[in-house]
């Protein structure tokens, strides 16, 4: 079936991006994998390519294109090459929507030019030790000083992607206690300078997958945050988090579909080259049936991902629709990548093959951004159940 989601501009960007990946990422990716993160200076190269400024207004140095489709191309091309851009994904997918939605004109003038240039990398700190997906249970606090000039931030966060390289961190903290009627009340968002006194990066976490993204623990001990860096209004943070979850879940859904598509490509290439019992693995009926079934699932996931992309660009992607897309695409990717690894035999278990890394990277898709079980709860509630 012919896709209609991309136009000539997107395909031109795809060609540029593919050449960039082949020249700047593929030759050094094994080094990033071993180091557990992409180098900080790589993000300046992404900035020069224009990746960070696509959805940023021209007055702040961006391209002013209000569309997620270029990011969709990026998901497809990195998956196709079996690589990632480190922890930079959170910079655009998670950080930018909060700036665009909540920042004042004065804040945008301070934040966005450095955001676009890569001079300041952004991430967001929500999850805390012991709370997991229960954001309403967070304990990190931000108390307004007596003179009203700054907040004093205390607490800890964990599983923070981009946490090692981040220059600006959006931190979720309690400015008021929850009420008996609403546990979610009292959370606010702050833009924190990671060089501030009392801000510290703890362990760089050793993950099962996503080895090239820097994921860390953070601690805040009496960190002073100027009142000018409150993002949005006090005590409305939980609402803001919920508002931006649709785009976050779209990103996970589209990325998972792209990984599944790449897995079929890797498996197809492998079985056509690998010979056993005097013939290629591709010549066996079981191989053909397995890959055909995988292709059918990828086709369905592509349709769901494309539909969600169009809805997101139109501002019409609902929380339930985003949850449905994430649930479907991540579950499809789980099945497809597992079957494609199986077709590699023992080599599929070796990290030198992209399918092995893809298998490990994919596993978190059904966890972060809300687990598959949370997605089912959201969908069921939308169904009136």
């Amino acid at each position: 079936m012919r896709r209609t989601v991309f136009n000539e501009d997107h395909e031109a960007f795809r060609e540029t991006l593919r050449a960039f990946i082949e020249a700047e990422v593929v030759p050094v990716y094994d080094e990033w994998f071993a180091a557990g993160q992409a180098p900080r200076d790589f993000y300046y190269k992404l900035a020069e390519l224009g990746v960070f400024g696509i959805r940023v207004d021209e007055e702040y140095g961006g391209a002013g294109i209000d569309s997620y489709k270029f990011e969709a191309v990026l998901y497809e091309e990195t998956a196709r090459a079996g690589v990632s851009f480190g922890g930079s994904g959170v910079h655009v997918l998670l950080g930018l929507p909060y700036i665009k939605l909540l920042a004042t004109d004065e804040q945008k003038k301070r934040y966005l030019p450095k955001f676009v240039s890569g001079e300041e990398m952004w991430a967001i700190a929500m999850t805390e030790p012991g709370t997991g997906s229960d954001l309403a249970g967070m304990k990190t606090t931000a108390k307004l000083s007596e003179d009203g000039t700054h907040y004093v931030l205390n607490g800890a966060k964990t599983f923070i992607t981009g946490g090692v390289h981040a220059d600006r961190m959006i931190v979720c903290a309690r400015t008021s206690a929850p009420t008996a009627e609403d546990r979610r009340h009292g959370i606010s968002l702050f833009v924190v300078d990671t060089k501030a006194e009392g801000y510290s990066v703890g362990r760089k976490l050793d993950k099962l997958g996503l080895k090239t993204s820097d994921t860390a623990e953070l601690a805040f001990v009496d960190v002073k945050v100027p009142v000018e860096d409150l993002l949005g209004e006090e005590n409305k943070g939980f609402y803001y988090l919920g508002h931006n979850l649709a785009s976050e879940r779209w990103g996970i859904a589209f990325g998972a579909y792209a990984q599944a598509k790449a897995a079929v490509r890797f498996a197809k290439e492998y079985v056509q080259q690998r010979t056993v019992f005097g013939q290629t693995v591709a010549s066996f009926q079981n191989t053909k049936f397995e890959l055909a079934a995988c292709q059918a699932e990828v086709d369905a996931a592509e349709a769901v991902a494309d539909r969600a992309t169009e809805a997101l660009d139109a501002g019409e992607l609902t929380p339930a629709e985003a949850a449905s897309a994430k649930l479907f695409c991540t579950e499809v990717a789980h099945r497809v990548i597992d079957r494609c690894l199986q077709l590699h035999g023992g080599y599929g278990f070796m990290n030198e093959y992209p399918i092995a890394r893809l298998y490990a990277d994919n596993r978190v898709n059904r966890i972060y951004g809300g687990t598959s079980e949370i997605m089912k709860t959201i969908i069921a509630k939308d169904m009136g159940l």
Side-chain angles (χ1 to χ4, degrees), residues 242 245-254 301 303-330 369 374-383:
L245 276 175
S247 61
E248 178 183 353
R249 288 168 178 164
W250 164 82
I252 297 170
F254 203 98
V304 170
D306 285 355
R307 186 181 69 174
T309 303
E310 296 286 17
L312 182 63
D313 269 11
E316 298 172 354
L317 186 65
T318 68
E321 289 169 344
S324 178
K326 180 182 184 296
L327 176 66
F328 183 77
C329 290
T330 58
I374 294 293
M375 297 305 99
K376 292 174 183 177
T377 299
I378 293 169
I379 297 165
K381 184 176 180 180
D382 187 67
M383 295 169 65

Side-chain angles (χ1 to χ4, degrees), residues 22-333:
E22 288 299 321
E24 300 290 345
V25 182
V26 172
V28 294
Y29 195 70
D30 286 345
E31 297 174 19
W32 296 4
F33 190 85
Q37 63 187 39
R40 178 63 174 83
D41 61 3
F42 172 69
Y43 298 151
Y44 289 109
K45 294 180 181 180
L46 287 179
E48 291 173 6
L49 192 65
V51 169
F52 296 156
I54 293 171
R55 290 191 288 112
V56 175
D57 292 341
E58 293 182 44
E59 63 182 298
Y60 305 115
I65 302 173
D66 189 20
S67 172
Y68 284 81
K69 292 182 180 180
F70 290 93
E71 288 170 53
V73 172
L74 188 150
Y75 284 126
E76 289 187 334
E77 289 305 306
T78 51
R80 178 185 180 277
V83 302
S84 80
F85 285 168
S88 65
V90 298
H91 181 67
V92 175
L93 184 64
L94 299 189
L96 185 57
Y98 288 97
I99 303 174
K100 294 183 70 171
L101 175 69
L102 303 174
T104 64
D105 289 341
E106 183 276 331
Q107 288 176 321
K108 288 178 181 178
K109 290 176 182 177
R110 283 194 290 124
Y111 300 152
L112 286 174
K114 293 181 180 180
F115 180 100
V116 172
S117 69
E119 184 178 345
E120 288 187 348
M121 295 299 295
W122 286 59
I124 184 166
M126 302 185 206
T127 306
E128 296 183 0
T131 61
S133 297
D134 182 19
L135 296 179
M138 70 176 60
K139 305 296 183 184
T140 298
T141 61
K143 296 182 179 180
L144 188 64
S145 63
E146 291 184 3
D147 60 8
T149 62
H150 62 272
Y151 291 85
V152 179
L153 183 67
N154 283 281
K157 300 288 182 178
T158 192
F159 306 146
I160 309 306
T161 302
V164 175
H165 284 318
D167 302 288
R168 290 276 187 171
M169 183 67 65
I170 300 174
V171 178
C172 311
R174 282 207 165 277
T175 43
S176 297
T179 65
E181 296 78 20
D182 188 2
R183 293 178 62 242
R184 300 170 295 180
H185 171 78
I187 295 172
S188 302
L189 307 184
F190 299 90
V191 177
V192 181
D193 185 342
T194 63
K195 296 183 294 294
E197 184 178 354
Y199 181 107
S200 63
V201 178
R203 293 186 302 150
K204 181 165 73 70
L205 300 173
D206 184 17
K207 306 183 298 296
L208 170 67
L210 301 180
K211 290 291 189 179
T212 62
S213 72
D214 50 308
T215 303
E217 296 174 331
L218 307 178
F220 320 110
V221 180
D222 294 334
V223 178
K224 293 182 179 180
V225 183
V227 293
E228 292 81 10
D229 285 325
L230 171 68
L231 199 57
E233 297 181 35
E234 264 196 14
N235 302 324
K236 291 188 176 181
F238 200 95
Y239 165 77
Y240 300 142
L241 295 174
H243 182 276
N244 284 333
L245 276 175
S247 61
E248 178 183 353
R249 288 168 178 164
W250 164 82
I252 297 170
F254 203 98
Y257 140 70
Q259 289 176 323
K261 182 177 182 178
V264 173
R265 174 174 175 264
F266 296 146
K268 179 182 175 182
E269 291 176 353
Y270 179 82
V271 299
Q272 288 176 327
Q273 297 169 5
R274 173 72 168 155
T275 59
V276 293
F277 306 117
Q279 57 185 316
T280 65
V281 176
S283 66
F284 290 94
Q285 185 183 62
N286 179 68
T287 303
K288 296 175 182 178
F289 282 4
E290 282 293 291
L291 282 177
C294 287
Q295 183 62 53
E297 290 218 74
V298 168
D299 286 345
E302 181 179 87
V304 170
D306 285 355
R307 186 181 69 174
T309 303
E310 296 286 17
L312 182 63
D313 269 11
E316 298 172 354
L317 186 65
T318 68
E321 289 169 344
S324 178
K326 180 182 184 296
L327 176 66
F328 183 77
C329 290
T330 58
E331 294 290 340
V332 163

